Amino acid sequence: MPGKIITVSSGKGGVGKTTTTANLSIALAMLGYRVTCIDADIGLRNLDVMLGLESHVYYDIINYVEGHCRLRQAMIRDTRYPELSLLPAAQTRGKEALKVEDMVRVAHEAAEMAQFVIIDSPAGIEHGFRYATAPADLVLVVTNPEVTALRDADRVIGLLEADGYAPAQLILNRYNPELVRKNGMLSAETVVDLLAVDLIGIVPEDSKVLAASNQGQPVALDDRSAAGRAFRDIARRLSGEDVPIEALQERKFLRKLFGSRRKELA
Amino acid sequence: MKLFDLFRRRSSSTQDIAAERLRLVLTHDRANIAPGMLEVLKDEIIAVISKHLDIDADKVVVNFTEDNRETRLMADIPVHTARSRRAEGKV
Ligand SMILES: Nc1ncnc2c1ncn2[C@@H]1O[C@H](COP(=O)(O)OP(=O)(O)O)[C@@H](O)[C@H]1O
Ligand SMILES: [Mg+2]
């Protein structure tokens, strides 16, 4: 059976797509799954750096599509987790070098060799978004708890719904429960309510993410990182396990203690 | 509960403002209409309805409601009747 193809998308740039792709890929490999991640951000290659694999790049996805190498040659195997491999983006080409049908073919070929194929999309809702989401069985929409990022996420969800291809699930990244408690940040409940989409995970704001990316050691590898734990939980959910969402559990507990505000207003 | 209320902010928090602004942009984005155009639409609705009914144009409310990604345009249009006219002392 071919593996599941998951695309990580967002609309807005800088919300954590590449961070999410790197961490979920590592976390799934840590669970023992064969994982191939594909960097579809042609021209802005980053996934190799986040995974600490940049010095192993010889060929890229465009080289393969244009027939200059075999798929296996372009794929880099992670030495920490041999189950994990990366198909890097081309750095000196443009997005137009990758046609939608090429991306679909590459993703399906990768899915023949892996249990999960995770695709990191470029920002925007144009061609790069189209080719990255075209092969997906599931699209993970990454967003931050701020109005601009959420608006863009809603656009992406709307486009996916209109296409009717793949279901979308939301990852709320850079969440700050402390700030939410002080009413300074949109709560996960409000976000889910307004976007009316399935939530697959909440990743807290965590300073370890930046250091991890600079060191090429994704936080999922760090036992003490809260963001790392959140990514590992999402990976378990993707593998079919029923793992409660920690940040929501906390709030349910508080509400039990103090009663919900909605009830008070009623 | 009253005591606990003391610890809550009275005026709108960043959270409330963000939620309200998000709700508004999402609704207009999903319906694909610029917020300003809703006013134009409202005026046109009033003009059309007025041809057939005696309505209270000042009290017309036109807005969107949202339920689970389903958007509805709601128009609340008070109609003048013999009784309402009497109540307002216009007859
Ligand atoms: N949970 C988090 N906590 C703190 N910083 C984060 C978190 N997620 C992402 N970042 C930071 O946000 C920036 C953008 O992340 P990146 O994954 O490159 O976004 P994208 O791929 O969507 O453009 C990076 O500097 C990254 O370190
Ligand atoms: Mg990126």
Side-chain angles (χ1 to χ4, degrees):
Chain A
M1 208 176 73
K4 187 165 185 173
I5 302 173
I6 300 172
T7 297
V8 180
S9 193
S10 73
K12 195 172 190 295
V15 295
K17 287 179 295 297
T18 305
T19 304
T20 299
T21 307
N23 279 289
L24 292 184
S25 301
I26 287 249
L28 283 165
M30 287 164 79
L31 291 173
Y33 292 102
R34 262 173 295 117
V35 183
T36 296
C37 49
I38 302 180
D39 190 344
D41 198 352
I42 312 298
L44 295 168
R45 179 162 79 211
N46 270 161
L47 194 53
D48 55 336
V49 172
M50 275 215 203
L51 286 167
L53 296 174
E54 68 279 5
S55 57
H56 302 280
V57 176
Y58 293 96
Y59 296 106
D60 58 54
I61 186 170
I62 302 295
N63 293 146
Y64 170 62
V65 164
E66 294 182 344
H68 300 302
C69 66
R70 285 177 291 114
L71 184 54
R72 288 241 183 232
Q73 287 177 303
M75 280 170 31
I76 305 161
R77 183 161 295 196
D78 193 321
T79 47
R80 294 161 295 192
Y81 292 95
E83 294 84 358
L84 175 64
S85 52
L86 163 72
L87 181 58
Q91 180 67 339
T92 53
R93 299 291 295 272
K95 310 258 185 296
E96 69 289 343
L98 196 54
K99 292 204 277 295
V100 172
E101 54 276 24
D102 289 333
M103 186 68 211
V104 170
R105 181 171 59 91
V106 172
H108 283 122
E109 284 171 9
E112 289 301 325
M113 300 182 270
Q115 288 157 296
F116 286 97
V117 174
I118 320 266
I119 302 173
D120 183 21
S121 355
I125 50 172
E126 292 81 28
H127 179 59
F129 166 76
R130 294 283 166 201
Y131 67 57
T133 51
D137 297 313
L138 170 70
V139 178
L140 298 179
V141 179
V142 181
T143 192
N144 300 153
E146 54 177 293
V147 179
T148 50
L150 289 163
R151 179 192 206 176
D152 292 357
D154 192 70
R155 267 290 271 153
V156 165
I157 294 164
L159 290 171
L160 292 169
E161 268 178 359
D163 284 346
Y165 292 152
Q169 293 192 320
L170 194 74
I171 293 182
L172 190 53
N173 185 30
R174 311 197 73 159
Y175 196 65
N176 183 337
E178 190 59 35
L179 202 53
V180 171
R181 262 195 292 279
K182 291 182 190 150
N183 301 312
M185 183 183 266
L186 283 164
S187 72
E189 288 90 343
T190 304
V191 167
V192 169
D193 191 35
L194 289 176
L195 264 56
V197 63
D198 278 350
L199 180 72
I200 190 172
I202 299 173
V203 181
E205 172 76 28
D206 183 346
S207 58
K208 291 203 168 94
V209 172
L210 181 66
S213 130
N214 282 333
Q215 289 162 4
Q217 294 275 342
V219 278
L221 295 167
D222 183 345
D223 275 339
R224 281 164 313 179
S225 154
R229 192 165 351 110
F231 282 124
R232 288 197 301 273
D233 282 352
I234 295 172
R236 285 165 61 201
R237 287 180 202 119
L238 287 173
S239 74
E241 227 184 291
D242 187 14
V243 185
I245 296 179
E246 223 176 89
L248 288 181
Q249 291 306 106
E250 240 172 68
R251 286 180 56 91
K252 270 190 200 139
F253 173 69
L254 283 174
R255 250 190 318 214
K256 254 191 204 139
L257 276 183
F258 300 118
S260 89
R261 200 157 74 85
R262 283 221 180 88
K263 260 189 235 142
E264 276 169 51
L265 291 173
Chain B
M1 260 327 138
K2 282 283 173 281
L3 181 70
F4 190 61
D5 274 352
L6 287 179
F7 298 101
R8 289 228 166 81
R9 78 270 173 268
R10 275 286 136 85
S11 58
S12 287
S13 64
T14 307
Q15 197 172 55
D16 292 340
I17 295 167
E20 188 44 37
R21 295 183 67 218
L22 178 61
R23 200 189 57 74
L24 212 80
V25 291
L26 293 190
T27 305
H28 292 102
D29 285 359
R30 287 172 187 173
N32 194 18
I33 185 170
M37 285 310 289
L38 195 58
E39 272 309 301
V40 176
L41 177 63
K42 180 176 150 184
D43 291 341
E44 287 180 17
I45 289 174
I46 291 174
V48 170
I49 305 276
S50 299
K51 281 192 214 160
H52 306 279
L53 285 171
D54 182 10
I55 61 174
D56 190 344
D58 293 341
K59 295 208 182 108
V60 171
V61 179
V62 175
N63 56 20
F64 289 107
T65 64
E66 197 85 39
D67 186 22
N68 216 5
R69 298 195 78 83
E70 224 177 65
T71 306
R72 255 164 239 279
L73 180 70
M74 304 292 278
D76 184 357
I77 306 171
V79 178
H80 281 143
T81 59
R83 181 184 290 186
S84 74
R85 275 189 288 263
R86 254 198 316 279
E88 285 175 27
K90 279 188 186 157
V91 173

